[in-house]
Amino acid sequence: MLSLGSGCLVLALGVALYGIAASLYGARGRAGAGSRAWVDSGRRAVYATAGVVLVAFGVLEAAFLRSDFALSVVADHSSTTTPTFYRATAVWSSQEGSLLLWVVLLGLWSSLMLFLTRRRAREVAPYATAVLLGFAVFFLSLLVFLENPFDRAQTVVAEGAGLNPLLRHPSMMIHPPMLYSGYTLFAVPFAFAVGALITRRLDAEWIRLTRPFTLAAWFFLGCGILLGARWSYTELGWGGYWAWDPVENASLMPWLIGTAFLHSVMIQEKRGMLKIWNVSLVLATGVLAILGTFLVRSGILNSIHAFGASTLGVPFLILIGAMIAGSVALVLSRASDLRSDARLDSLLSREAVFLLNNLVLVGLCFVIFWGTFFPLISEAVTGNEASVGPPWFDRYIVPLSLILVLLSGIGPVVAWRRATAANLRRNLARPGAVGVLALVVLLLAGVSGSVGALLMFALAAFVFAAVGQELWRGVRARRAMSSDSVPRALVSLVQRNRRRYGGYLVHVGVAVLFAGVAASSAFQDARDVQLQVGQSAKVGGYDLTYVRPTSKLEAASNGRLEKIDLGAVMRVSRGGKQVGTLRTERSFFPSADPTLGPVSRFFEGEATSEVGLRAGLRRDVWSAISPSVRDLRKQVAEGDRVFNGAKALPPVQRDIALAEALSGLTRSYTVNPPAATFRLIVSPLVSWIWIGALIVFAGGLIALWPPLRRAPRPVAARYAARVARELGRA
Amino acid sequence: MARTETCGHNGGVDPARKRKLRFVIALSCALLLASALIYTSFSASSEARTPSQLAAAAKPGRVYELTGKVQPGSISSRGTTHRFRVRDREGHVSIPVSYTGALPDPFRDGREIVVDVRKRGATFVGERDTLVTKCPSKFTAEKKT
Amino acid sequence: MDVLLVLVVLAVVVFVVSRPLRGGHAEAVEASESAQRAGLEAAKEAKYAEIRDAELDHRMGKLSEEDWRAQDRTLRAEAMEVLRRLDELGPED
């Protein structure tokens, strides 16, 4: 079975290489009438590559599900005690498995795109095919020559190393496929842009055809980023959701540029403007997506995600260098074909706002890029490796984000081409007043200490008011034309202008999200305290009391002991009244080191936090515990001793003795608990970050949804007739 | 697609010159911001150092980014303050570090960490919330054997 | 056993990929002219959308009467140009 996997990878590599050759040969038209056939064959090579790679993936999945430790990758990342769901998803917790997943997804989306456009984009598609297969060849070469998932283990172990307990969470398992879907989906517009540049077919066709994939990429990448942030907040023991870690930044950068691209292409479709911007943005998105994959997989930057230094750094750098050089060369050589069809009429127009939006998003991306790569930049410039921390990022991200939210409120209110200045002033007056009012109310309520946060709240209010006004006016205009009831008018308004109103909803979601981020960063109260049973700590207006300790032994599916949980129950009170309870614990997983004693083994392996979280609409109360394991050293040593005495016994009785030793430990922890260290955080408005993100995605879905097949007949016919009539008169 | 020629809104100004002016202003703003960014990044950054480098020469009061491995057996805690020694990835020189705050989940003997420290007397005091422990990578360990 | 399976997969792949070359099932050819037509049709739809958008903007008070009439005139002229070019392509076959 395993040779089938390896064989499939080699086969896929061969087919992909053939596909590139066939597509390019057919595209050049040298084969005369047969060129079409070569192009079609190239397209089928994409389907074949996808299929073969899928077979290889299936073989790998089967090996994981079967716990086939003949494969070293299975032995290193899974075990017989790992639950089935995590065994299936452990495939992509490994370097090799994740590269294979990347190719599977690339094959899937490429096949879908080329199938949907098999009768269109005749000139562009072959080159796009070659680019997509080029990516496939790169990743397959890595898989075949450097990181083969089907490498056999030198010695077959009886039990695998198991999945890192930190990864044992559903979000953590969905997060990589989401991110990779985002990256690979961005490869499609990238490939078509390259094809369009090569063939000089630079009207909006390639944009139109690839739009569903661009939107889907934006959506999945955004989901992936969000899942990572939420996992960090609810599962890790530090209580934050974003650390400006290089790997986090690696996924945010392509998303920001992708957002700029999605906005900017609307201008090209409407007015034939910003062509150079658009090809540059989409090429940059593709490069950043590969760069993101590179950052995560090469270990080149210090990061909490560092998967270890690997041999993949150099090949990726070569690919990225080639992509950048190729993109720049293409854009420069096609500059004359990328001239705008029209010019910016006025700064008071939606086009101008979109242009500013491009600039702000690119600015944000540049700040993040600079900060992320600063260790390498400073080493190149000064010879010393230096890094910048979150405070430096915040200094630039905060003002740029404020401008972004401001623009997202102004954009919906301004008209295309040229807005009447007086009208614009009038239309912005009410939302502006709401924003100022919000600021005044907050100041009067005593909210102070952070200018940035206050401004963000005011701007969020401004955005709500602006979008609300738009909806209200739109409904009124609709009702004037059709005499629908208000709900019906609203529904049909949105249905007829899905992109516009879906987009407005996204802006509302972004404003909510930023408001949540501002509140939870600026007004958070975090405390690291040591508490004895019965002691309390005051955090953010709450009293958190360590009520009693908890301890538990957890067995895995095969009866073996999986982990020891030591934790606490805490009482949350406010103003003397109890408002809730928190349960938090630390799970201790055993190390595989055979030199350690059977009990001390548990405290030398991995430990994960079970966060005690009381989430609310107004604030979150968050707690994590670090039991003092050092104070248990005596009991642990005792347990080891007791167990060593039982070594000579048969296995069943040995297990019983181990269970007794451990139960003794947990009992003693409950009866005589040492003081424990707690991290306690009270954060306002955190839940609105997740709610805001959901609103963004709902808005994205509305905008994504394919439009009603036919514009309403009467309206279209009326315009067409009028234009045709005037045409006859002219 | 028809080319639209529009007159400037305020009468006499040549639209082409207006556009050029806008472009120059925008470019200047961008360059200004970029320079501010680049300048502050060099001044606000903390240099990466290994334990042996810090043991040899460290200016008191200046923040450095320390990278190294936690020396096995060196961790001791009192309340929320932890003391441990950090040594070079490959080597034996180690320096004492004191860190106040919650330790990250993966933190333990032998793990690779990154922390911002400031020399105070004979110890290096860690800056709050800057301790990062790298997730251990099983396959690199495998490759070494 | 495995080698046999790989050979089977290889055979399927060769069959699928070579089908167009063996003279089967070429996709219906879309002449470059109809690609041009598709582009102009899309431009026409985009223009109509712009005309409708401008009217909606006017109704919602973002454009003054004067500004709207000017834009509407321009947009309709552009739409007429597109229709003229579509007609130049000849009747749809």
Side-chain angles (χ1 to χ4, degrees), chain A residues 1 41 44 119 412 420 719, chain C residues 2 16-17 30 55 62 67:
Chain A
M1 257 306 141
S41 183
R44 279 156 171 263
R119 295 208 185 96
T420 316
Y719 279 107
Chain C
D2 273 16
V16 165
V17 167
E30 193 187 276
E55 180 174 349
K62 294 185 208 171
D67 274 337

Side-chain angles (χ1 to χ4, degrees), chain A residues 1-4 7-8 11 15 18 36-38 40-41 43-45 48 52 118-120 122-123 201 208 269-271 350 412-420 423 426-427 470 473-474 477 480-481 497 500-501 504 710-711 715 719-720 722-723 726-727 730, chain C residues 1-3 5-6 9-10 13 15-21 25-30 32 35-36 38-39 42-43 45-57 59-65 67-68 71-72 74-76 78-81 83-84 87:
Chain A
M1 257 306 141
L2 303 178
S3 310
L4 174 61
C8 280
L11 182 57
V15 177
Y18 164 77
R36 199 79 279 140
W38 283 104
D40 285 346
S41 183
R43 197 182 60 249
R44 279 156 171 263
V52 173
R118 65 195 182 285
R119 295 208 185 96
R120 303 197 270 165
R122 256 33 230 310
E123 291 170 39
R201 303 222 14 142
R208 255 197 341 271
E269 284 176 301
K270 268 187 168 344
R271 316 239 3 243
R350 200 173 277 190
V413 177
V414 103
W416 291 104
R417 292 199 178 221
R418 177 186 285 127
T420 316
N423 282 26
R426 213 184 35 226
N427 290 336
E470 281 297 297
R473 293 219 175 136
M481 284 174 9
N497 298 285
R500 179 188 276 220
Y501 291 99
Y504 292 174
R710 242 339 357 200
V715 181
Y719 279 107
R722 272 163 72 178
V723 174
E726 278 166 57
L727 189 60
Chain C
M1 174 61 187
D2 273 16
V3 179
L5 284 169
V6 174
V9 176
L10 174 64
V13 165
F15 179 75
V16 165
V17 167
S18 63
R19 202 134 168 260
L21 300 170
H25 196 234
E27 289 295 349
V29 179
E30 193 187 276
S32 74
Q36 223 185 344
E45 290 300 322
K47 255 329 135 195
Y48 287 165
E50 273 197 82
I51 294 172
R52 269 182 248 126
D53 270 345
E55 180 174 349
L56 191 60
D57 278 352
R59 280 182 190 278
M60 292 192 1
K62 294 185 208 171
L63 284 175
S64 69
E65 180 80 21
D67 274 337
W68 174 55
Q71 271 195 37
D72 193 57
T74 314
L75 286 170
R76 280 172 198 276
E78 289 170 7
M80 279 155 49
E81 176 67 23
L83 283 178
R84 194 181 58 74
D87 279 352

Side-chain angles (χ1 to χ4, degrees), chain A residues 89-240:
Chain A
T89 54
V91 172
W92 50 82
S93 72
S94 68
Q95 177 90 299
E96 304 90 332
S98 63
L99 288 173
L100 185 55
L101 179 65
W102 214 99
V103 190
V104 167
L105 289 169
L106 178 73
L108 197 62
W109 310 130
S110 306
S111 299
L112 185 61
M113 177 65 188
L114 290 171
F115 178 74
L116 290 173
T117 56
R118 65 195 182 285
R119 295 208 185 96
R120 303 197 270 165
R122 256 33 230 310
E123 291 170 39
V124 174
Y127 290 102
T129 307
V131 171
L132 290 168
L133 284 174
F135 285 125
V137 164
F138 177 78
F139 280 87
L140 283 166
S141 306
L142 292 180
L143 282 165
V144 170
F145 299 113
L146 291 176
E147 303 276 357
N148 197 326
F150 300 103
D151 275 345
R152 286 168 190 281
Q154 282 170 334
T155 51
V156 182
V157 293
E159 177 63 287
L163 191 60
N164 188 331
L166 270 173
L167 299 177
R168 223 180 296 198
H169 188 263
S171 313
M172 257 306 105
M173 286 299 123
I174 306 174
H175 166 77
M178 284 269 161
L179 286 180
Y180 284 179
S181 293
Y183 290 149
T184 49
L185 281 162
F186 270 130
V188 170
F190 176 88
F192 273 79
V194 170
L197 282 167
I198 292 177
T199 56
R200 295 179 190 262
R201 303 222 14 142
L202 289 163
D203 50 14
E205 188 192 28
W206 66 272
I207 295 177
R208 255 197 341 271
L209 290 174
T210 57
R211 195 208 327 287
F213 288 79
T214 314
L215 277 169
W218 178 88
F219 188 86
F220 281 117
L221 195 56
C223 281
I225 294 171
L226 203 76
L227 279 174
R230 180 150 175 87
W231 175 79
S232 169
Y233 180 69
T234 57
E235 291 301 316
L236 292 183
W238 73 294

